Amino acid sequence: MAVNEKDIDSILEAYPAKVKRNRKKHIVIKDSSLAHQEIEANTRTIPGIITNRGCAYAGCKGVVLGPIKDIVHITHGPVGCGYYSWLTRRNKAKTLEDGKNYLAYCVTTDMQETDIVFGGEKKLAKVIDEVVEIFKPNGVTVSATCPIGLIGDDINAIAKAAQEKHGIPVMAFSCEGYKGVSQSAGHHIANNGVLEWMVGKGEMTEAPAKYSINMLGEYNIGGDSWEIERFLKEIGYHIIAVATGDGSYENLKNTHVADLNLVQCHRSINYIAEMLEIKYGTPWLKVNFIGVEATVKSLRDMAIYFGDPELIQKTEDVIAREVARVEPILNQYKKICEGKTAFCFVGGSRGHHYQKLFADLGIDTVLAGYEFAHRDDYEGRQVIPDIKPDADSKNIPELHVESDKKLFKLKISPEKAEELKKKIPLSNYEGMNAEMKDGYLIVDDLNHFETERFVELLKPDIFASGIKDKFIPQKMGIPSKQIHSYDYSGPYAGFNGAVKFAEDVTAMFTTPTWNFMTPPWKYKPMLEGTVEEEGN
Amino acid sequence: MKRDKANYRNVNENPCNMCMPMGGILPFKGVEQSMVILHGSQGCATYMRRHIAEHFNEPIDVASSALNEKGTVYGGEKNRKQGLDNLIKLYSPGIIGILTTCLAETIGEDIGRITSDYRNEHELHRLPIITVPTPGYGGSHTEGYWLAAKQIVSGLARQTPRHSKINIIVPHISPADIREIKRILDRMDIDFTLFPDFSDTLDRPFSKTYKKIPNGGTRIADIAAMPGAAATVQIGITIDDDLSPGRFLEREFGVPLYNVPIPTGLENMDLFMNVLTEITGSCMPLSLEQERGRLLDCMIDSHKYNFEGRSVIFGEPELVYAVAKTCMENGIFPVVAATGSKNAKLAELLTAEIDKYERQVVLLMDSDFDQIRQNSTSAGANIAIGHSDGRYLTEREGIPLVRLGFPIHDRVGGQRVLSVGYLGTTMLLDRVTNTLLENKYKNYRSSMYEQFYHNGHENNISGKILLSGTEG
């Protein structure tokens, strides 16, 4: 199964020489005999290549801000950008008694040519007024699209004036699509804003309950967060805020008092996690709730952090019960899945996380990669000092935070933290590469051309990715599972999620449809008989 | 009688339309061996591919020049040239479409010049490269569609000796619709060039060998020869002359233009057939006459249910007109007709139709779903016909939705929805009638109970009559 450099070269041969050299650096064959394998990531997309990457606006409004339910998110720009990010990520949110859940709405300033010529500031100000009057939200965000930065609308000034006028937070995000090299830039911009304008605005000064945590980088797609919260609450954790799945300004503003921050999607939220540590003294723990084994490990790591024997016992009790419940079911599905191979190419964390769920089912991930991750998501956070900032990353403002004079509270002593770091991924992420098997492929920013060629080369049994690329393998006769929005299924996280995923994937393997792909006349004659020549 | 309602709000709450480059991609997908590159941020291409792929359930390869901040300062020429190099090397397309976006237009990229420079540098004299200025703020996806269609025709058309083919230019209809129109033309033995033909490219049959650029699409040589055609039948009565490929062929090459509505609905299809028989001299084949008969039979079968329908119709102008007419001739009288596009012609044309009946219709141009919803409830609409985003009418107001048009992203088979011709109309009408019936059945028993056993009083003396169809 293992791939060699020659295979890769023969695929990249089709590119112009310069592109070939560039792409080669984004592809690594895992080899654990080497001290370190570097991969190029978070660099400019090659023009003309059919990439799966999106833009800064998509990362800011679409990913991080979008799921915050009690805030109305205004897209400042022409109609398309708002429309295209309308509910497409399937973030679920429960409406509470206050009725403030605006996720189903797409609100845009719908700029016209005249607005581009004369500026859109007045229109934006009116739209904010209308939105506050219609919805009475707990806050408003304004996300800028490409033309806004170019025509120079001062969205920060408009937001500030509106905030004073209406007495609710109005937050402007300069996440124009051309910023950075992918949606990753937008995550960073959104993280800065959430930390600056939401976190720390609440009344709480200390944790409201024992084992208070925040869950960062969990977006409640298909209800993932609800499944995770189910067992976390049972074990005894108190969840202050989820950033940002089923999240709300009401909860996020008290993020600062938690004892621990969990980081699920490292790429999209690590900035906040880091800044929370500096500003409020709360360390973060890298978790992965995708896959039974990964979930169990994450729960144990959390228990180690708190170190309370009672909590550890409760954790073990819940694990034992849940595993005993789901394992027999998973084992049934495993009979069908075992020995199969997968491609796993998603986002900035799921390319790693879902490998664990596939592994639970006996499926080997032979090619994995991220659309928009950075080197640390592949190689681990220890490489961060080695990453040289380029022109594109310098364009994203870094938020410099200091410890908050009033609210900073060291949650654990530095000595204890050092001790814990030896046992659990505290304020650390080891990256995807560490867990890949030798000979398997790691590909950054996989494109349509390479998808087709790598599928031909490795012939995986299942292709896990997004909607844009899922139809390529499907057309080649290979089932495709959408890991962005789950093909309207889910949740896939936690124990119940693993069962749901196993059920969905197994159903894809076993559907009778695949049996009909080769028409019968291709392999056996439909009519049997002999042709007699005339006159015989 | 109609009532126009202007939208005085600045906010667009739940849009009913998409942006210009999105629409511009589609006609290119209807040309053989074509590839499109969007000049702007890569997010535009990604978002649009995502939406088109979800509707058609097909891979949609659209490249991007992936402009970044540097490009906004120094111009995007380098990126675009590099993009074209890579696209040509990997895909070897037979034609390339370059669509601009908000970004390229706002920084004032001269795509015409960049393209001709590129062509000269690379000596690409035989590879057609068509440029279309489609800033997102320049119009809705409908205008993008027509502008791209017009640019393709004007870019490829060549003075051609007269020939006997006729040009058929289609709006944004489904691949199944295009196939049906081709079948009808074949039945009539008409020699035609249909453009843009995305019936195979956006709805390709399964075959195990994957091709990056799917087979199918209008042949480039056929588009080039459109000026020699005997006539153009353009399904597009709501489009501006500036955006009309048919008008271009008429003005530049003297090809007579017949603008007709989408042949959905008996009258619209009759008109389509009349135009075809008039131009070609062929007569209506018996098989089509029988299809017409079956449609009539269907209309008679369902008329006693359809009169209860009060429809809200929304989507692209061309579709709204055809569906509104279909509803009118079946007594499913529209109470709201709406589009997200700014289209004065649609309002004019619909008003002329509505005036034939003594009814009130609310016409909403440049509308959003908030306005559509409010007007639908106040007008007592009980059936919605349009694309998937109208699902809010069902979720919020219990108005059932018959999915038609683009995008259909919460159901499969958008590419297979057939609604043109006598056959397609029959199928659409059955869907509409059955949706009304389904709602009626759902409420019938409870409304009967309400009428006769209300408050435990058997045989309710007041004899209050409740129409089952008007209940939520």
Side-chain angles (χ1 to χ4, degrees):
Chain A
M1 188 80 225
V3 200
N4 57 44
E5 293 290 339
K6 252 178 145 177
D7 298 323
I8 311 282
D9 283 340
S10 73
I11 288 174
L12 302 185
E13 215 50 67
Y15 286 126
K18 225 176 118 185
V19 176
K20 185 186 162 183
R21 280 197 303 278
N22 178 324
R23 285 300 303 154
K24 188 118 202 237
K25 290 185 241 167
H26 293 263
I27 301 171
V28 165
I29 303 170
K30 173 71 189 280
D31 182 355
S32 56
S33 70
L34 300 170
H36 185 75
Q37 285 184 292
E38 190 180 320
I39 189 165
E40 194 159 285
N42 192 38
T43 51
R44 284 182 191 166
T45 313
I46 299 165
I49 297 281
I50 318 287
T51 172
N52 285 309
R53 285 172 157 189
C55 63
Y57 164 83
C60 179
K61 189 269 175 182
V63 174
V64 180
L65 301 179
I68 305 174
K69 63 185 173 188
D70 58 348
I71 288 179
V72 173
H73 306 287
I74 298 173
T75 299
H76 185 34
V79 70
C81 307
Y83 182 93
Y84 304 134
S85 58
W86 186 7
L87 275 185
T88 42
R89 276 176 53 86
R90 294 193 62 237
N91 311 104
K92 303 281 138 208
K94 186 175 188 294
T95 310
L96 303 176
E97 274 164 18
D98 62 6
K100 293 185 177 179
N101 178 355
Y102 311 110
L103 285 206
Y105 293 91
C106 167
V107 177
T108 165
T109 52
D110 190 6
M111 286 176 80
Q112 305 294 312
E113 193 135 16
T114 47
D115 302 318
I116 300 293
V117 176
F118 299 108
E121 293 182 357
K122 279 187 191 151
K123 192 171 191 185
L124 173 62
K126 283 187 202 153
V127 167
I128 297 173
D129 290 348
E130 288 173 4
V131 159
V132 173
E133 195 195 314
I134 298 166
F135 297 102
K136 302 183 176 51
N138 290 342
V140 173
T141 67
V142 176
S143 294
T145 63
C146 288
I148 303 309
L150 300 171
I151 63 172
D153 273 5
D154 189 350
I155 57 169
N156 282 299
I158 303 289
K160 206 171 157 225
Q163 176 157 326
E164 277 161 23
K165 183 174 174 185
H166 298 293
I168 57 165
V170 180
M171 299 157 271
F173 293 81
S174 294
C175 54
E176 286 86 352
Y178 52 78
K179 296 224 166 126
V181 299
S182 69
Q183 51 266 64
S184 175
H187 303 146
H188 196 164
I189 293 165
N191 274 223
N192 290 348
V194 169
L195 192 94
E196 203 174 353
W197 299 314
M198 302 189 199
V199 174
K201 302 291 180 218
E203 326 58 45
M204 289 185 193
T205 50
E206 49 191 84
K210 239 175 150 184
Y211 316 129
S212 284
I213 56 170
N214 296 310
M215 193 150 45
L216 309 180
E218 167 51 53
Y219 300 101
N220 200 28
I221 291 166
D224 276 353
S225 174
W226 293 333
E227 161 65 5
I228 299 167
E229 284 172 47
R230 176 181 69 84
F231 49 81
L232 288 184
K233 283 178 184 162
E234 193 193 340
I235 292 170
Y237 292 106
H238 176 82
I239 297 157
I240 296 175
V242 181
T244 51
D246 195 12
S248 63
Y249 176 77
E250 279 309 296
N251 293 335
L252 285 166
K253 66 184 186 184
N254 285 317
T255 310
H256 55 279
V257 296
D259 300 317
L260 176 69
N261 292 316
L262 307 181
V263 169
Q264 171 84 351
C265 173
H266 175 259
R267 181 69 267 133
S268 64
I269 216 84
N270 78 91
Y271 316 94
I272 289 184
E274 231 185 312
M275 291 187 283
L276 282 172
E277 185 159 9
I278 299 167
K279 198 170 179 184
Y280 302 106
T282 321
W284 58 271
L285 179 72
K286 178 70 185 83
V287 292
N288 174 16
F289 292 112
I290 302 293
V292 172
E293 203 195 300
T295 301
V296 167
K297 181 181 181 300
S298 295
L299 291 176
R300 288 190 174 138
D301 287 350
M302 289 170 69
I304 291 171
Y305 172 84
F306 286 101
D308 177 341
E310 208 177 303
L311 184 77
I312 293 171
Q313 188 53 51
K314 184 70 189 169
T315 302
E316 291 304 327
D317 291 348
V318 170
I319 290 173
R321 188 200 66 210
E322 291 289 314
V323 170
R325 184 171 64 84
V326 300
E327 212 167 46
I329 313 172
L330 288 175
N331 283 339
Q332 290 299 318
Y333 292 119
K334 205 170 170 178
K335 287 177 189 164
I336 289 159
C337 297
E338 186 108 61
K340 293 201 181 332
T341 58
F343 276 19
C344 194
F345 178 76
V346 213
S349 280
R350 284 187 256 185
H352 178 194
H353 291 165
Y354 273 81
Q355 294 187 34
K356 308 295 277 180
L357 185 45
F358 277 130
D360 284 347
L361 297 171
I363 299 172
D364 240 1
T365 304
V366 294
L367 181 149
Y370 300 128
E371 261 176 46
F372 49 77
H374 300 194
R375 275 182 60 200
D376 39 316
D377 302 295
Y378 290 103
E379 301 168 50
R381 278 182 76 90
Q382 73 281 359
V383 301
I384 291 178
D386 302 336
I387 302 174
K388 287 190 201 83
D390 54 17
D392 300 305
S393 44
K394 277 184 200 155
N395 287 338
I396 314 302
E398 283 281 343
L399 194 62
H400 291 285
V401 290
E402 289 168 1
S403 64
D404 190 289
K405 288 192 183 72
K406 268 194 214 153
L407 297 167
F408 182 89
K409 195 176 147 202
L410 208 53
K411 308 301 188 298
I412 51 167
S413 70
E415 301 76 42
K416 173 90 176 155
E418 283 315 307
E419 190 197 316
L420 282 171
K421 279 178 187 174
K422 288 177 196 139
K423 296 184 208 155
I424 57 173
L426 193 66
S427 305
N428 189 32
Y429 176 41
E430 275 205 334
M432 171 212 281
N433 297 13
E435 288 194 88
M436 293 283 296
K437 287 186 192 165
D438 278 353
Y440 289 171
L441 270 175
I442 301 152
V443 185
D444 177 63
D445 188 17
L446 185 71
N447 57 53
H448 275 201
F449 164 73
E450 288 168 17
T451 297
E452 184 196 339
R453 298 299 307 275
F454 281 128
V455 168
E456 279 168 4
L457 177 71
L458 295 169
K459 299 183 178 59
D461 296 297
I462 185 166
F463 181 89
S465 186
I467 187 159
K468 296 182 295 291
D469 40 355
K470 86 168 188 181
F471 295 107
I472 299 172
Q474 258 180 218
K475 292 272 170 197
M476 298 166 92
I478 292 165
S480 276
K481 184 72 215 160
Q482 256 210 81
I483 304 291
H484 290 267
S485 67
Y486 304 170
D487 295 307
Y488 220 89
S489 185
Y492 287 157
F495 301 99
N496 290 333
V499 172
K500 183 69 199 149
F501 186 77
E503 180 190 320
D504 286 358
V505 165
T506 309
M508 287 166 66
F509 287 139
T510 53
T511 176
T513 306
W514 304 117
N515 303 337
F516 302 101
M517 289 196 308
T518 310
W521 53 88
K522 285 275 169 71
Y523 56 85
K524 67 173 186 202
M526 294 293 277
L527 291 170
E528 290 193 2
T530 50
V531 179
E532 288 188 12
E533 276 180 35
E534 213 177 327
N536 282 358
Chain B
M1 230 186 89
K2 60 121 189 179
R3 284 185 298 142
D4 273 312
K5 278 205 179 167
N7 196 344
Y8 296 110
R9 300 201 314 182
N10 289 282
V11 60
N12 185 322
E13 184 186 325
N14 298 346
C16 187
N17 59 296
M18 283 159 271
C19 65
M20 212 176 173
M22 158 71 98
I25 293 168
L26 298 164
F28 281 100
K29 292 290 169 194
V31 181
E32 64 169 353
Q33 294 303 304
S34 87
M35 276 300 286
V36 182
I37 180 163
L38 288 186
H39 189 33
S41 304
Q42 73 210 9
C44 305
T46 300
Y47 268 146
M48 290 168 208
R49 273 162 52 208
R50 189 209 168 283
H51 276 76
I52 302 174
E54 200 168 38
H55 174 87
F56 291 99
N57 295 279
E58 293 283 338
I60 304 294
D61 284 16
V62 174
S64 169
S65 59
L67 283 187
N68 48 35
E69 194 138 12
K70 196 178 151 201
T72 67
V73 181
Y74 300 104
E77 183 164 353
K78 201 181 140 208
N79 276 50
R80 223 199 57 188
K81 287 182 173 175
Q82 221 183 320
L84 283 173
D85 284 345
N86 292 331
L87 191 66
I88 291 168
K89 185 90 200 308
L90 286 183
Y91 284 77
S92 328
I95 176 172
I96 296 176
I98 303 177
L99 304 174
T100 60
T101 61
C102 296
L103 174 52
E105 291 292 333
T106 311
I107 63 172
E109 287 278 284
D110 184 353
I111 51 162
R113 182 194 55 78
I114 300 175
T115 307
S116 60
D117 285 359
Y118 183 84
R119 212 190 260 284
N120 293 334
E121 276 164 35
H122 292 70
E123 294 182 357
L124 283 174
H125 302 293
R126 293 172 69 188
L127 176 70
I129 303 179
I130 309 286
T131 57
V132 193
T134 46
Y137 48 79
S140 71
H141 60 301
T142 306
E143 286 79 51
Y145 180 94
W146 285 111
L147 182 61
K150 191 202 139 189
Q151 295 286 91
I152 294 168
V153 170
S154 65
L156 296 177
R158 296 286 173 268
Q159 196 72 50
T160 310
R162 282 266 167 252
H163 54 76
S164 60
K165 279 188 178 183
I166 62 165
N167 303 322
I168 307 283
I169 297 174
V170 296
H172 188 189
I173 49 179
S174 78
D177 287 336
I178 295 178
R179 283 195 291 274
E180 176 65 1
I181 289 170
K182 282 161 66 173
R183 183 187 69 94
I184 291 163
L185 294 164
D186 284 339
R187 280 283 157 87
M188 296 175 75
D189 281 328
I190 294 171
D191 207 2
F192 63 91
T193 297
L194 185 141
F195 166 80
D197 184 358
F198 44 83
S199 61
D200 289 328
T201 52
L202 294 182
D203 188 14
R204 56 176 113 170
F206 181 82
S207 82
K208 233 174 170 176
T209 37
Y210 178 71
K211 292 188 76 176
K212 271 195 283 295
I213 301 182
N215 292 336
T218 316
R219 290 176 56 231
I220 292 165
D222 289 343
I223 301 172
M226 283 173 109
T232 300
V233 178
Q234 178 169 268
I235 303 177
I237 50 166
T238 62
I239 46 171
D240 261 6
D241 283 352
D242 294 346
L243 303 176
S244 162
R247 190 67 74 202
F248 168 84
L249 289 168
E250 186 191 51
R251 282 179 184 161
E252 296 294 315
F253 301 100
V255 187
L257 171 66
Y258 297 80
N259 259 330
V260 295
I262 296 177
T264 296
L266 188 81
E267 267 190 309
N268 287 342
M269 180 56 185
D270 281 349
L271 180 63
F272 186 63
M273 293 305 294
N274 271 345
V275 168
L276 290 179
T277 48
E278 190 188 308
I279 298 169
T280 61
S282 16
C283 33
M284 177 115 136
L286 179 65
S287 61
L288 284 176
E289 240 174 81
Q290 285 185 317
E291 283 172 26
R292 188 183 191 277
R294 286 201 185 93
L295 170 57
L296 261 178
D297 208 42
C298 153
M299 289 163 75
I300 294 164
D301 287 343
S302 17
H303 76 280
K304 51 189 145 263
Y305 311 115
N306 285 339
F307 79 93
E308 284 180 10
R310 294 167 66 78
S311 54
V312 40
I313 299 154
F314 52 87
E316 295 194 51
E318 215 55 51
L319 184 85
V320 169
Y321 177 81
V323 175
K325 254 198 108 181
T326 309
C327 282
M328 286 184 217
E329 66 193 19
N330 285 286
I332 312 162
F333 218 81
V335 288
V336 178
T339 178
S341 304
K342 289 177 190 148
N343 194 310
K345 275 195 181 170
L346 173 65
E348 210 178 286
L349 287 160
L350 272 181
T351 308
E353 286 303 316
I354 293 162
D355 283 347
K356 296 179 190 164
Y357 303 86
E358 302 253 320
R359 298 278 195 129
Q360 288 249 313
V361 184
V362 180
L363 294 184
L364 305 170
M365 303 295 127
D366 190 15
S367 189
D368 61 14
F369 272 108
D370 179 62
Q371 201 193 17
I372 295 171
R373 185 173 67 85
Q374 289 185 16
N375 282 284
S376 301
T377 36
S378 57
N382 62 3
I383 185 159
I385 306 170
H387 55 87
S388 280
D389 293 312
R391 68 190 187 277
Y392 290 102
L393 300 171
T394 316
E395 286 169 14
R396 291 292 215 76
E397 309 296 343
I399 303 169
L401 173 65
V402 174
R403 282 168 177 76
L404 185 69
F406 175 89
I408 295 176
H409 50 65
D410 59 346
R411 298 286 188 273
V412 293
Q415 74 276 42
R416 294 184 283 269
V417 172
L418 176 61
S419 63
V420 302
Y422 297 121
L423 182 66
T425 305
T426 310
M427 289 166 71
L428 173 67
L429 195 58
D430 278 350
R431 283 173 71 205
V432 172
T433 311
N434 286 334
T435 306
L436 285 168
L437 280 175
E438 196 176 324
N439 229 31
K440 185 177 175 134
Y441 277 78
K442 207 157 70 187
N443 301 316
Y444 196 76
R445 285 159 60 99
S446 58
S447 57
M448 288 299 261
Y449 182 84
E450 185 74 10
Q451 190 179 337
F452 293 104
Y453 295 94
H454 186 61
N455 292 337
H457 297 300
E458 290 202 4
N459 298 326
N460 178 351
I461 342 169
S462 74
K464 193 171 78 172
I465 292 169
L466 289 164
L467 287 179
S468 54
T470 55
E471 275 200 344

